[in-house]
């Protein structure tokens, strides 16, 4: 019984609102008065003694009633059809006296699909370390008022959301905004949730600027100091080679000999002891 009191439908569909009474097969609609009302004051459709006696102009050719189970059919459904309805059934008895057989409400929840969320990102500032950007998510044309949710790398996030609608029974446009400081590539998701339905979109946000730190050349002072050290070292080697005394072999050079003679003596091959002995004998 509780399920019959709540009916959900989308804009453009055909929906049936169940009544609280069904006419027995032994009787007909001629024995009843049936009133379908909205908000307890607006008569949508009314029958008396088997004939239609009233029909609201806004429903025009969009409504009809089943003559047996008294279901109210609406097609196509509009957003303005959203709200509570009431089926009032009276049984006509002797001398046209009527008895209320049932009087129960049924609520119609109308849904209009939102567009697939659109995510855009605007770069505000850029550096080697991070990219500052404002991200927007928007969806439009839906009903009822939606909830906007999101996620950053699968972790829940909150949008700064705003809604626009002409009235409480008009389509909604929703926009969410979020400022981000992106230091690496991240995935962002935007979801529009309404009356048990949801639409989602994801976008990969990339850090837009990757800087390569250049190799710092040695400073002028370092180059100058290195050059002085190298030149000094070369000069020291040159002076040492030129002015230090040369080493003379002690067993082949006489002390009193000149340097040139000593060099010559040292260059002579040594005379073997055998040859010396032969010379002495001669």
């Amino acid at each position: 019984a509780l399920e019959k009191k709540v009916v959900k439908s989308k804009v453009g569909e055909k929906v049936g609102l169940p009544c609280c009474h069904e006419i027995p097969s032994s009787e007909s609609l001629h024995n009843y008065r049936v009133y379908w009302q909205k908000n307890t004051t607006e008569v949508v459709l009314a029958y008396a003694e088997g004939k239609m006696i009233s029909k609201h102009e806004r429903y025009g050719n969009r409504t009809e009633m089943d003559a047996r189970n008294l279901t109210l059919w609406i097609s196509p459904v509009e957003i303005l059809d959203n709200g509570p309805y009431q089926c009032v059934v009276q049984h006509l008895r002797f001398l046209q006296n009527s008895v209320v057989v049932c009087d129960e409400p049924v609520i119609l929840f109308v849904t209009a699909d939102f567009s697939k969320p659109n995510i855009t990102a605007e770069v505000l500032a850029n550096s080697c370390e991070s990219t500052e950007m404002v991200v927007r998510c928007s969806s439009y044309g839906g009903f009822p008022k939606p909830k906007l949710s999101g996620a950053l790398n699968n972790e829940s996030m909150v949008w700064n959301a705003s809604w626009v609608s002409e009235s409480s029974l008009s389509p909604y446009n929703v926009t969410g905004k979020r400022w981000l400081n992106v230091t690496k590539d991240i995935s962002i998701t935007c979801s529009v949730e309404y009356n048990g339905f949801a639409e989602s979109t994801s976008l990969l946000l990339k850090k837009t600027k990757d800087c390569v730190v250049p190799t710092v050349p040695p400073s002028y002072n370092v180059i100058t100091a290195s050059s002085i050290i190298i030149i000094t070292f070369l000069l020291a080697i040159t002076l040492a080679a030129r002015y230090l005394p040369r080493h003379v072999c002690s067993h082949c050079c006489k002390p009193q000999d000149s340097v040139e003679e000593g060099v010559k003596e040292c260059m002579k091959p040594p005379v073997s002891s055998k040859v010396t002995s032969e010379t002495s004998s001669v």
Side-chain angles (χ1 to χ4, degrees):
L2 183 60
E3 290 180 355
K4 290 183 179 180
K5 294 181 181 180
V6 177
V7 177
K8 294 182 179 181
S9 181
K10 287 188 177 183
V11 170
E13 294 180 345
K14 182 177 182 178
V15 65
L17 303 182
C19 186
C20 51
H21 182 75
E22 183 174 346
I23 297 176
S25 58
S26 59
E27 296 183 316
S28 69
L29 190 57
H30 290 79
N31 302 111
Y32 292 86
R33 290 195 188 106
V34 181
Y35 299 91
W36 269 105
Q37 302 175 155
K38 184 182 181 186
N39 299 322
T40 69
T41 57
E42 182 179 299
V43 177
V44 178
L45 198 64
Y47 277 82
E49 298 179 357
K51 296 180 181 179
M52 184 187 298
I53 60 174
S54 177
K55 191 173 188 178
H56 197 286
E57 61 180 4
R58 195 181 69 77
Y59 290 88
N61 297 323
R62 297 190 305 115
T63 55
E64 60 181 354
M65 188 184 73
D66 188 282
R68 184 59 60 182
N69 61 24
L70 309 181
T71 296
L72 177 66
W73 291 96
I74 305 175
S75 178
V77 173
E78 299 176 356
I79 291 179
L80 289 175
D81 298 334
N82 185 80
Y85 291 78
Q86 194 168 14
C87 182
V88 181
V89 181
Q90 297 175 346
H91 189 269
L92 301 177
R93 302 211 175 162
F94 182 68
L95 297 177
Q96 298 298 314
N97 290 329
S98 61
V99 176
V100 176
V101 178
C102 76
D103 179 2
E104 292 184 6
V106 56
I107 299 174
L108 174 61
F109 283 118
V110 178
T111 301
D113 286 336
F114 280 85
S115 65
K116 193 172 183 64
N118 181 41
I119 303 176
T120 60
E122 178 186 355
V123 176
L124 302 178
N126 211 355
S127 68
C128 296
E129 292 77 20
S130 64
T131 299
E132 183 180 348
M133 60 178 67
V134 57
V135 183
R136 292 180 176 87
C137 174
S138 60
S139 182
Y140 59 88
F143 185 88
K145 184 178 180 179
K147 175 186 176 182
L148 204 63
S149 61
L152 277 176
N153 287 341
N154 298 321
E155 293 187 6
S156 179
M157 59 161 280
V158 178
W159 291 96
N160 181 15
S162 59
W163 298 264
V164 176
S165 180
E166 294 181 0
S167 70
S168 60
L169 290 176
S170 297
Y172 283 87
N173 297 339
V174 60
T175 301
K177 187 184 294 185
R178 182 70 184 260
W179 280 267
L180 296 175
N181 196 28
V182 180
T183 58
K184 61 181 180 180
D185 294 353
I186 59 174
S187 175
I188 187 169
T189 300
C190 179
S191 299
V192 181
E193 302 171 8
Y194 54 102
N195 204 17
F197 300 93
E199 289 280 355
S200 299
T201 298
S202 296
L203 180 68
L204 180 63
L205 298 178
K206 293 187 175 183
K207 183 175 176 295
T208 59
K209 189 175 183 181
D210 290 323
C211 301
V212 178
V213 179
T215 303
V216 179
S219 64
Y220 176 76
N221 292 335
V222 173
I223 295 175
T224 303
S226 300
S227 301
I228 293 174
I229 293 172
I230 293 172
I231 293 173
T232 304
F233 180 71
L234 293 176
L235 286 175
I237 293 175
T238 303
L239 292 174
R242 183 171 181 180
Y243 293 104
L244 288 178
R246 299 179 181 176
H247 178 71
V248 180
C249 181
S250 59
H251 68 271
C252 61
C253 299
K254 297 179 181 180
Q256 66 272 19
D257 290 340
S258 65
V259 175
E260 292 182 359
E261 291 176 350
V263 171
K264 292 178 182 180
E265 289 291 334
C266 291
M267 292 177 63
K268 292 180 180 180
V271 180
S272 63
S273 58
K274 183 179 180 181
V275 174
T276 305
S277 59
E278 290 179 352
T279 305
S280 302
S281 62
V282 173

